[in-house]
Amino acid sequence: MKISLKLVTVAVIFTFASCAKKEKGKIPVYESRDYNIYMGGKLAGYQKSSRDSDGAYRYIYEFNDRGRGPHTEEKVLVNENHTIVYHEINGHNYLKDTVSEVFKVENGLASWKSSSEQGEIKFDNNSFFSAINSSFGTTDILIKKLLSAEDNEVDLLPGGNIKITAIDHHTINDSIQLRLVELTGQSFTPSYSWIDEQDRFFGYTSSWITCIQKGYDSIVKQLLPIQKQKEEQYLKKISSTLTRNSSKKILLNNVTLFDSENGNLIPNMFVVLNDNVIETVSKTSPSDTKAYEVIDGTDKTLLPGLFDMHTHIDETDGILHLAAGVTSVRDLGNSFDLPKLKENFDTNKLIGPRILVMSGFIDKAGPYAGPTGSIINNLEEGFKAIEDYHSKGYKQIKLYSSIEPEWVKPLADKSHELGMRVSGHIPSFMIAEQAVQDGYNEIQHANMLALNFLSDTIDTRTPLRFSMVAEHNYKLDFDSQEFKNFIQLLKDKNIVIDPTVSIFEGMFVSKAGDPNPSFKKILNRLPLNIQRGYYSGGLPIPEGREEEYKASYDKLLALVKQLYDNEVSIVAGTDALAGFGLHTEMENYVKAGIPSSEVLKITTAISAKVCGFDEKLGAVKEGYLADLILVDGNPVENISDIRKVELTIKDGKLYYPKKLYNVIGVKHFE
């Protein structure tokens, strides 16, 4: 699911229109080009770029991501100043909702309108319009404009600006001359694009989604490491300036301590840190405080660092996690570079949380196969994948939607033989009860539980796994014997549930033009072009069924409370925007009826136990690792105070959220 967020980010980065320098009375040559789109190394779609005889640029963009994915067609006109004067986009977006977006300049006014936004402003004949639904195809002219602009910087509409901050020249295979362009101002951290000798867009590479000029597909494996190295250099540089090591022992003075094992608050406590270990936790202060770096905790709450138990983490997520107080995560499916990222985060070379558990992703090859990890054709390949993951330090296997139901038990048995847990989506044409009987230790996503009470004939490889729940879940009967038996099975088998319930609010309730309710509280803190991606809406809701969809989401929240009431283990994961997503998930658990103290236990001590680190992390106890957060407020009384993190301590190192947010263009809560 995280892939959808990444795709929003990519779309925002590359939402610019093309133009080319015109000679008077003549349309310059613009060679038509085709591009291939890859998802996790698998061919998934295409991009077509061309220009009409009247000078209009045309772009067609499409890809398939497990049944989701956009299809858009664009028309772009520019003037003699290389400024967009018309941009029209039609088709459907990633979740198959209708796209109809138009920007135009008339009578000195620039205006724009789509299903998610509209506005107008006096036209300055220079600012570039950044379309919310645009594709990779519109990168050519943006870069040409930037290369010719003063300081390589231009303003954008509806707001913000973008700047080229670096250009690196590379020769690939001794003959292909390319440049890696670093663009700053459109996302939390710089984005990157490859251009050729004609300043034309050549490609964009990442572990998740790649766009590459057709015919050059084979060199992606050379481009990606170059780009990753550039990204890592930037992140290491800011990590060195934002990570602070104290030369003294640290005294956290007069804090209100959250006891994560019992769920209560202990006032007026004094906690001493010696390097990366909690040395003492006491009711009395050391007699001589001159030997300590003293941090005043009066009227503040000290908690263990938080755990996000469902991430698909990348390098750029690290700052958002630590700024939000998330010091530990599980990764539930990623590229094969994950062990290197784990090392960089765990050793503090890059700012980011500990990656406590790496989950090896396995799915069956086919049209709806997952976008990453090991894609297998038979059981033998599955066994080998499990062994490979185990040898690289992975502790868990995540099975995905295309796995054959009859493969689940042998794959689970193999994983258990190696001491690995098994979790995942419920494979298509199977229900959760069967997966539990066949060896699942854990289930991801609340919709997978709801599907247990619909049918095993639903092709949940496709978006039906969302839409069927949205259409029918409101009818789920908690008093039925079928439901009670299922809950008892989960409890008897000690199954862990990772609901990620908040993502379904955006899917089932959100309409284009309205802010995604999961992030409404913090949207004004984000850079404008990041904000815009959270107004695009969720699933297409049939007219007249809005209340049913909302009721189905509310029933998912109630389902989480049923799990809690029946003592089924819950962990808080997000599969969403790093840091902020966990705060929302916690608030929604409280909204469901779980006491805030219990929610704080879930995101600290209970998560540490599920990860197998409950003797080192998840509590403020002597001898434990110094992963702590200082909150300006009392999240036991008001869970939303968890958003007010003033200080994050990870591995004994000090991180100040205000500074972390500032470097990525996010406003602090103050």
Side-chain angles (χ1 to χ4, degrees):
M1 297 279 292
K2 174 78 176 289
I3 185 77
S4 62
L5 176 62
K6 291 177 182 293
L7 295 177
V8 167
T9 304
V10 168
V12 166
I13 292 168
F14 293 101
T15 55
F16 309 100
S18 264
C19 59
K21 187 175 182 181
K22 294 183 181 179
E23 297 178 21
K24 194 171 183 179
K26 183 180 179 181
I27 302 298
V29 174
Y30 183 87
E31 178 188 58
S32 297
R33 289 188 177 179
D34 291 343
Y35 299 82
N36 284 330
I37 307 292
Y38 290 86
M39 301 289 297
K42 182 180 70 174
L43 184 63
Y46 62 88
Q47 168 85 48
K48 293 180 179 291
S49 302
S50 61
R51 195 176 193 193
D52 293 346
S53 58
D54 64 356
Y57 294 91
R58 301 279 185 173
Y59 305 109
I60 304 174
Y61 180 57
E62 177 177 305
F63 67 82
N64 173 45
D65 176 25
R66 298 159 289 170
R68 292 167 284 181
H71 175 91
T72 56
E73 298 186 13
E74 300 176 63
K75 177 182 178 181
V76 182
L77 292 171
V78 300
N79 65 15
E80 67 282 353
N81 196 38
H82 302 167
T83 304
I84 304 164
V85 294
Y86 185 81
H87 193 170
E88 180 180 4
I89 310 173
N90 292 292
H92 63 252
N93 63 15
Y94 181 75
L95 289 176
K96 305 296 186 183
D97 207 356
T98 300
V99 166
S100 179
E101 182 172 9
V102 176
F103 169 86
K104 58 186 176 181
V105 176
E106 289 181 337
N107 303 320
L109 285 178
S111 64
W112 55 93
K113 184 176 182 180
S114 69
S115 58
S116 61
E117 61 183 12
Q118 62 180 348
E120 66 178 25
I121 194 171
K122 184 178 178 180
F123 182 54
D124 66 4
N125 198 31
N126 191 52
S127 297
F128 260 72
F129 175 65
S130 169
I132 195 67
N133 294 293
S134 193
S135 65
F136 291 107
T138 55
T139 309
D140 285 338
I141 298 304
L142 170 71
I143 290 177
K144 288 178 185 282
K145 178 74 171 180
L146 287 168
L147 289 172
S148 62
E150 184 178 355
D151 297 325
N152 300 133
E153 184 172 10
V154 296
D155 291 332
L156 299 169
L157 294 175
N161 59 18
I162 189 165
K163 182 176 183 177
I164 292 176
T165 46
I167 301 176
D168 295 343
H169 295 255
H170 295 277
T171 301
I172 307 299
N173 293 343
D174 299 324
S175 60
I176 306 172
Q177 300 298 321
L178 298 176
R179 284 164 290 164
L180 180 62
V181 180
E182 182 179 82
L183 301 166
T184 300
Q186 281 300 287
S187 190
F188 296 120
T189 56
S191 56
Y192 298 87
S193 183
W194 290 91
I195 63 174
D196 63 15
E197 292 179 284
Q198 289 77 46
D199 298 337
R200 290 285 302 274
F201 173 69
F202 184 83
Y204 168 84
T205 63
S206 79
S207 301
W208 291 93
I209 184 170
T210 290
C211 178
I212 189 73
Q213 186 176 334
K214 192 172 183 178
Y216 294 89
D217 309 55
S218 63
I219 69 171
V220 169
K221 291 182 179 180
Q222 294 169 258
L223 301 183
L224 182 56
I226 295 170
Q227 183 175 319
K228 296 282 280 187
Q229 183 180 32
K230 183 73 174 178
E231 293 170 348
E232 191 171 301
Q233 287 173 353
Y234 168 82
L235 291 169
K236 283 184 175 179
K237 181 179 178 181
I238 62 173
S239 294
S240 64
T241 62
L242 294 171
T243 302
R244 195 169 80 75
N245 295 289
S246 179
S247 59
K248 300 179 179 179
K249 292 183 180 182
I250 295 171
L251 170 61
L252 295 159
N253 190 62
N254 196 35
V255 298
T256 299
L257 188 151
F258 176 68
D259 179 352
S260 59
E261 294 178 331
N262 297 304
N264 60 304
L265 293 171
I266 308 173
N268 309 120
M269 295 296 288
F270 299 84
V271 179
V272 173
L273 312 182
N274 186 357
D275 193 20
N276 69 338
V277 175
I278 300 171
E279 186 171 79
T280 61
V281 179
S282 175
K283 274 283 189 183
T284 58
S285 173
S287 55
D288 181 10
T289 60
K290 293 180 181 179
Y292 299 86
E293 176 178 345
V294 179
I295 297 173
D296 184 30
T298 303
D299 297 325
K300 296 177 175 62
T301 306
L302 184 70
L303 303 96
L306 305 176
F307 287 62
D308 186 338
M309 297 291 276
H310 192 132
T311 73
H312 303 278
I313 196 167
D314 65 24
E315 292 88 345
T316 60
D317 292 334
I319 292 174
L320 282 167
H321 277 302
L322 285 196
V326 179
T327 58
S328 295
V329 302
R330 286 191 312 180
D331 188 282
L332 290 175
N334 216 314
S335 73
F336 293 110
D337 295 330
L338 183 60
K340 181 181 178 183
L341 179 59
K342 173 177 165 59
E343 179 187 359
N344 281 335
F345 281 162
D346 289 356
T347 59
N348 305 303
K349 293 175 184 175
L350 295 180
I351 291 177
R354 302 176 191 270
I355 302 178
L356 296 180
V357 175
M358 298 186 295
S359 300
F361 186 98
I362 300 178
D363 201 9
K364 182 189 174 185
Y368 301 106
T372 191
S374 296
I375 307 302
I376 64 173
N377 294 283
N378 51 57
L379 270 176
E380 287 68 29
E381 291 179 4
F383 295 150
K384 184 179 186 306
I386 292 168
E387 290 171 350
D388 288 345
Y389 280 129
H390 181 260
S391 70
K392 294 172 183 174
Y394 288 69
K395 295 183 177 181
Q396 188 160 311
I397 293 297
K398 181 181 179 181
L399 301 180
Y400 209 63
S401 303
S402 295
I403 289 291
E404 296 287 350
E406 60 268 25
W407 291 2
V408 170
K409 190 176 190 308
L411 291 174
D413 288 345
K414 178 67 174 179
S415 302
H416 293 154
E417 286 174 12
L418 296 173
M420 304 173 79
R421 291 170 55 83
V422 177
S423 73
H425 290 202
I426 305 304
S428 193
F429 311 116
M430 191 180 201
I431 59 175
E433 180 181 343
Q434 295 165 336
V436 169
Q437 297 287 12
D438 284 350
Y440 266 45
N441 303 106
E442 179 175 337
I443 297 171
Q444 266 73 55
H445 306 303
N447 66 319
M448 293 292 162
L449 303 182
L451 286 164
N452 189 77
F453 306 100
L454 295 180
S455 169
D456 63 2
T457 63
I458 298 171
D459 190 350
T460 54
R461 298 174 300 171
T462 73
L464 285 172
R465 65 177 178 264
F466 310 123
S467 59
M468 292 296 286
V469 175
E471 291 175 12
H472 298 287
N473 190 58
Y474 69 94
K475 296 178 284 189
L476 180 58
D477 182 5
F478 293 153
D479 292 324
S480 69
Q481 194 60 47
E482 180 186 20
F483 181 81
K484 292 178 179 179
N485 290 344
F486 178 65
I487 292 294
Q488 190 63 46
L489 174 67
L490 298 179
K491 184 176 179 180
D492 291 345
K493 294 280 189 178
N494 195 28
I495 302 300
V496 174
I497 304 299
D498 163 27
T500 67
V501 72
S502 302
I503 60 175
F504 300 105
E505 185 175 21
M507 278 192 190
F508 295 2
V509 177
S510 178
K511 281 192 169 184
D514 296 330
N516 184 315
S518 293
F519 300 103
K520 184 177 180 179
K521 288 184 178 180
I522 55 92
L523 285 182
N524 64 346
R525 295 172 55 186
L526 305 181
L528 177 62
N529 274 289
I530 301 294
Q531 290 183 37
R532 294 171 70 203
Y534 289 96
Y535 285 84
S536 296
L539 294 173
I541 303 175
E543 187 174 351
R545 302 199 65 180
E546 293 85 356
E547 290 303 314
E548 291 178 3
Y549 273 51
K550 183 181 184 304
S552 287
Y553 169 69
D554 291 341
K555 186 57 72 81
L556 285 180
L557 272 184
L559 174 57
V560 173
K561 179 61 159 50
Q562 287 287 320
L563 295 170
Y564 170 78
D565 287 344
N566 286 279
E567 300 180 344
V568 176
S569 297
I570 303 169
V571 292
T574 60
D575 204 2
L577 180 62
F580 292 119
L582 185 64
H583 297 160
T584 299
E585 188 81 359
M586 296 169 74
E587 288 172 338
N588 277 329
Y589 289 3
V590 172
K591 183 179 179 181
I594 302 175
S596 57
S597 59
E598 292 297 305
V599 173
L600 292 167
K601 286 171 61 177
I602 287 170
T603 52
T604 54
I606 291 173
S607 290
K609 184 175 182 179
V610 171
C611 290
F613 282 82
D614 50 317
E615 294 184 359
K616 294 182 178 179
L617 294 168
V620 186
K621 294 175 65 175
E622 293 179 2
Y624 274 49
L625 292 173
D627 284 16
L628 306 166
I629 59 173
L630 194 62
V631 172
D632 183 17
N634 183 347
V636 173
E637 290 184 357
N638 177 14
I639 193 62
S640 292
D641 279 355
I642 200 65
R643 296 183 180 275
K644 300 178 181 179
V645 180
E646 280 200 352
L647 173 66
T648 299
I649 303 174
K650 178 227 167 181
D651 203 34
K653 302 183 185 305
L654 307 179
Y655 299 92
Y656 294 92
K658 192 169 187 177
K659 293 181 179 180
L660 295 179
Y661 282 136
N662 183 64
V663 81
I664 57 174
V666 176
K667 298 174 185 176
H668 191 239
F669 71 85
E670 295 177 341

